[in-house]
């Protein structure tokens, strides 16, 4: 009776219940973690619907219903296998160091993990989940860009801005002195480098969005791309100081083509020289990109990869800046962790002299 009359409607209702809370997450009425747990209702609903389809195929024994049951069964089996492989291959790590830094602009967590056997390509990201006395309710895995550890080691690092419940619980666990047990899944993502066609790579970065550039900038230089101007707007002096050892060999502090601006809340606290030639205050990214295009053209660059990682406002400003006439051909790569971004409207935008090579999207928290 359940197979014939109940499983189908119950499955349909559960699948809707697993999807409808998306609107609540978008409106910030519930957290991503809570939605993720509610979303499992859709899996239970699909399983219930499969029971209904299987019962109907058993009863009718027609080719059409049997094929439908087989296709649905394969989809369910593949999903289960995928999840099992992801969990089985997840790396158990050892926390080598975990430091929480508090500033007027907020908190950052700087993690260093021993991850034997874990390998990744520059610019890729991993899913982190942790469990501790203070964080057992926040075990949903979250995405963060991987920062390479010291050369020759099996360490990976993560520079994390505290901005949600998961990152806040991670910071609390690290500050308590009891390092949480951290599981690392991945790596994931299709980085934009190497790009044999590119004669220059331009980085437009906002805040902790610098993390992919920490490995992509050395990758560009390894590929003999010496034109790598960078625009980096940030508010955390501690983040700037942490990144100096990783960027110092690739950024000339006296070079005028780079623009690193530290805009501390309340203004600069001192007049000391900042790392990497950074200056206090702000600068319009649009004007900087237009000036950079002139500089690159004069240096002989033609095809230029523009890598953008930062808030939506920064990405939009960069897109507007390169949408007009330019002396170089821009290839745009925007990297953001977004929660179900709205798809572009068909035919809504006019043709532009910009090639959007990739728009990777994930989850933002």
């Amino acid at each position: 009776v359940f197979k014939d009359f109940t499983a189908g409607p119950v499955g349909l209702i559960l699948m809707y219940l697993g999807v409808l809370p998306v609107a609540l997450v978008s409106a910030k009425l519930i957290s991503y973690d809570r939605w993720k747990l509610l979303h499992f209702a859709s899996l239970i609903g699909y399983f219930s619907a499969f029971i209904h389809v299987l019962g109907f195929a058993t009863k009718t024994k027609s080719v059409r219903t049997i094929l439908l049951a087989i296709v649905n069964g394969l989809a369910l089996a593949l999903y289960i296998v995928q999840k099992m492989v992801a969990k089985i291959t997840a790396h158990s790590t050892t926390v080598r160091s975990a430091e929480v830094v508090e500033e007027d602009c907020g908190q950052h967590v700087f993690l260093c993990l021993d991850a034997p056997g874990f390998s990744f390509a520059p610019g890729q990201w991993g899913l982190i989940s942790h469990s501790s006395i203070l964080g057992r309710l926040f075990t949903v895995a979250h995405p963060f860009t991987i920062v390479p550890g010291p050369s020759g080691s099996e360490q990976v690092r993560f520079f994390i801005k505290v901005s949600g419940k998961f990152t806040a619980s991670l910071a609390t666990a690290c500050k308590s002195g009891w390092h949480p047990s951290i599981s690392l899944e991945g790596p994931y993502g299709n980085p934009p480098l190497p790009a044999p066609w590119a004669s220059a790579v331009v980085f437009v970065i906002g805040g902790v969005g610098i993390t992919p550039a920490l490995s992509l900038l050395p990758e560009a230089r390894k590929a003999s791309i010496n034109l790598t101007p960078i625009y980096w707007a940030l508010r955390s002096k501690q983040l700037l100081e942490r990144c100096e050892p990783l960027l110092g060999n690739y950024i000339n502090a006296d070079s005028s083509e780079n623009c690193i601006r530290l805009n501390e809340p309340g203004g600069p606290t001192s007049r000391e020289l900042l790392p990497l030639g950074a200056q206090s205050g702000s600068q319009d990214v649009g004007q900087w990109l237009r000036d950079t295009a002139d500089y690159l053209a004069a240096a002989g660059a033609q095809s230029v990869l523009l890598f953008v990682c930062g808030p939506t406002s920064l990405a939009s400003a960069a897109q507007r800046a390169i949408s007009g006439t330019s002396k170089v051909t821009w290839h745009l790569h925007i990297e953001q962790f977004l929660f179900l971004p709205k798809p572009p409207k068909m035919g809504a935008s006019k043709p532009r002299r910009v090639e959007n090579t990739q728009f990777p999207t994930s989850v933002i928290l």
Side-chain angles (χ1 to χ4, degrees), residues 205-218:
I205 305 298
V208 78
I210 191 65
T211 50
L214 296 177
S215 56
L216 288 175
L217 184 53

Side-chain angles (χ1 to χ4, degrees), residues 42-284:
S42 62
L43 176 60
I44 299 172
Y46 187 88
F47 183 75
S48 180
F50 173 67
I51 292 176
H52 171 75
V53 171
L54 185 63
F56 196 62
T58 304
K59 184 177 180 179
T60 61
K61 293 183 174 60
S62 68
V63 175
R64 182 177 297 181
T65 56
I66 292 174
L67 286 176
L68 181 63
I70 291 174
V71 170
N72 280 270
L74 286 174
L76 183 61
L78 288 173
Y79 174 82
I80 294 173
V81 169
Q82 177 195 20
K83 287 298 180 182
M84 290 180 62
V85 169
K87 295 300 180 182
I88 292 173
T89 57
H91 288 72
S92 295
T93 65
T94 303
V95 179
R96 176 171 287 269
S97 65
E99 186 176 354
V100 181
V101 175
E102 297 189 32
E103 300 174 275
D104 291 340
C105 62
Q107 293 181 317
H108 286 84
V109 178
F110 297 96
L111 276 179
C112 182
L113 308 177
D114 283 322
F118 184 84
S119 60
F120 66 98
Q124 287 190 305
W125 50 274
L127 287 173
I128 284 183
S129 58
H130 79 88
S131 179
S132 66
I133 295 176
L134 298 174
R136 292 189 186 280
L137 297 178
F138 305 97
T139 56
V140 175
H142 290 230
F144 299 99
T145 304
I146 305 166
V147 178
S151 178
S153 71
E154 292 189 305
Q155 298 174 14
V156 294
R157 290 178 282 194
F158 294 92
F159 297 171
I160 300 170
K161 177 73 166 65
V162 177
S163 58
K165 289 186 176 181
F166 175 84
T167 51
S169 70
L170 179 62
T172 301
C174 292
K175 286 192 294 185
S176 70
W178 294 89
H179 290 164
S181 175
I182 293 180
S183 177
L184 176 60
E185 296 179 28
Y188 301 106
N190 185 23
L193 291 176
W197 46 264
S199 49
V201 180
V202 176
F203 295 91
V204 171
I205 305 298
V208 78
I210 191 65
T211 50
L214 296 177
S215 56
L216 288 175
L217 184 53
E219 182 72 10
R221 293 297 180 85
K222 188 187 299 183
S224 300
I225 301 176
N226 296 318
L227 296 173
T228 55
I230 181 171
Y231 173 99
W232 183 19
L234 72 161
R235 306 181 71 193
S236 170
K237 186 178 179 182
Q238 285 285 338
L239 179 62
L240 179 64
E241 292 175 349
R242 295 292 178 123
C243 293
E244 181 184 22
L246 297 169
L247 295 175
N249 292 332
Y250 308 100
I251 293 180
N252 183 357
D254 300 323
S255 179
S256 59
E257 65 263 19
N258 298 317
C259 178
I260 302 177
R261 294 302 177 103
L262 176 64
N263 192 8
E264 296 178 276
T269 56
S270 66
R271 294 186 177 181
E272 64 179 320
L273 291 177
L274 296 172
L276 301 173
Q279 299 180 27
S280 297
S282 58
Q283 180 171 332
D284 178 62

